[in-house]
Amino acid sequence: MRFYSYSLSICIRYVNSREEAVEVMNDAFMKVFTYLKQFDLNKPFQPWFRQIIVNCAIDHFKRENKHAGQVDIDTIMEKGIAESQLDNISYEEILALVRELPSAYRAVFNLRAIEGYKHEEIAKMLNITTGTSKSNYFKAKKKLQEYLQVFFEVEK
C-alpha cells in the first residue's frame, strides 16, 4: 500500500484522470517487477522506483500526444496573486489546477518544477527542443497564474 499511494501521487500529476494515473502506475509496476533483478541492492530503492514511474508517465504522454500541437495561451495576466492567498489553497486544489493545464505544458511543468529536471533533459525525454521546453514551462506558469486569479476571483 505504501508504494501504491506514492506512485499514484506521482502519476496523477501527469495525466487527466485517476483512471489514466492507475494505468500509468500499473505500467510502472510491471517495469519494476520486470527489471527488479537489475536493481542494485547497495543503492536506495525509492529514487530508482520514482525514475521508473516518471519514465512511464513520459511514455504515456508521448503516446497520448503523438499528434497534438502546442496550445496557445489567449492572454497573459498582469496582476499576481498575493502570497498570503496561497496559504488558503489545499494540495488537492493545486493538483486540480495543474491537471487543467494542456498536457504538453503539464508534462514540462511537472518535470521542471516538481521533479527538478533541466530543460535540456526534459527536451530529450519528450523529444522536443530545449526552446519548446522553456516556452511550455513559461506558458504553464502563466496559465497557472490565470487559473489562480479565477480561483481567488482576482479582478484584472
Side-chain angles (χ1 to χ4, degrees):
M1 195 64 164
R2 173 180 153 204
F3 290 114
Y4 175 86
S5 299
Y6 175 72
S7 60
L8 187 61
S9 70
I10 295 169
C11 293
I12 207 156
R13 290 194 311 252
Y14 287 89
V15 296
N16 295 323
S17 68
R18 184 176 178 84
E19 292 78 22
E20 277 185 277
V22 169
E23 181 182 330
V24 171
M25 183 182 64
N26 286 336
D27 290 346
F29 275 110
M30 286 301 296
K31 285 190 179 181
V32 166
F33 291 126
T34 301
Y35 297 105
L36 195 56
K37 290 179 183 176
Q38 296 176 9
F39 173 68
D40 183 354
L41 294 173
N42 296 320
K43 295 184 178 178
F45 178 75
Q46 196 161 339
W48 179 78
F49 181 58
R50 180 183 191 90
Q51 186 64 51
I52 290 174
I53 296 166
V54 169
N55 287 344
C56 284
I58 291 169
D59 290 344
H60 179 80
F61 168 80
K62 287 178 184 177
R63 278 192 311 272
E64 295 298 314
N65 295 290
K66 189 184 296 186
H67 303 292
Q70 280 187 318
V71 178
D72 291 329
I73 292 181
D74 299 327
T75 59
I76 295 178
M77 58 169 243
E78 295 174 2
K79 292 185 180 181
I81 305 299
E83 255 184 70
S84 61
Q85 288 178 296
L86 294 177
D87 294 336
N88 299 321
I89 188 170
S90 71
Y91 171 77
E92 289 78 19
E93 291 167 325
I94 292 171
L95 182 59
L97 294 175
V98 170
R99 289 173 75 190
E100 289 293 319
L101 289 171
S103 60
Y105 297 169
R106 183 176 57 236
V108 172
F109 180 81
N110 281 321
L111 290 168
R112 180 77 179 118
I114 308 296
E115 306 296 340
Y117 287 102
K118 295 180 178 158
H119 287 292
E120 294 78 14
E121 296 170 311
I122 295 168
K124 286 179 185 174
M125 286 184 221
L126 300 179
N127 295 323
I128 59 176
T129 66
T130 301
T132 299
S133 176
K134 289 177 181 180
S135 172
N136 285 357
Y137 183 62
F138 173 80
K139 291 175 181 179
K141 291 190 304 181
K142 288 298 180 189
K143 195 69 166 167
L144 283 172
Q145 288 175 342
E146 290 176 7
Y147 293 162
L148 286 169
Q149 280 189 330
V150 171
F151 183 85
F152 289 110
E153 300 175 350
V154 173
E155 291 183 26
K156 288 190 177 183

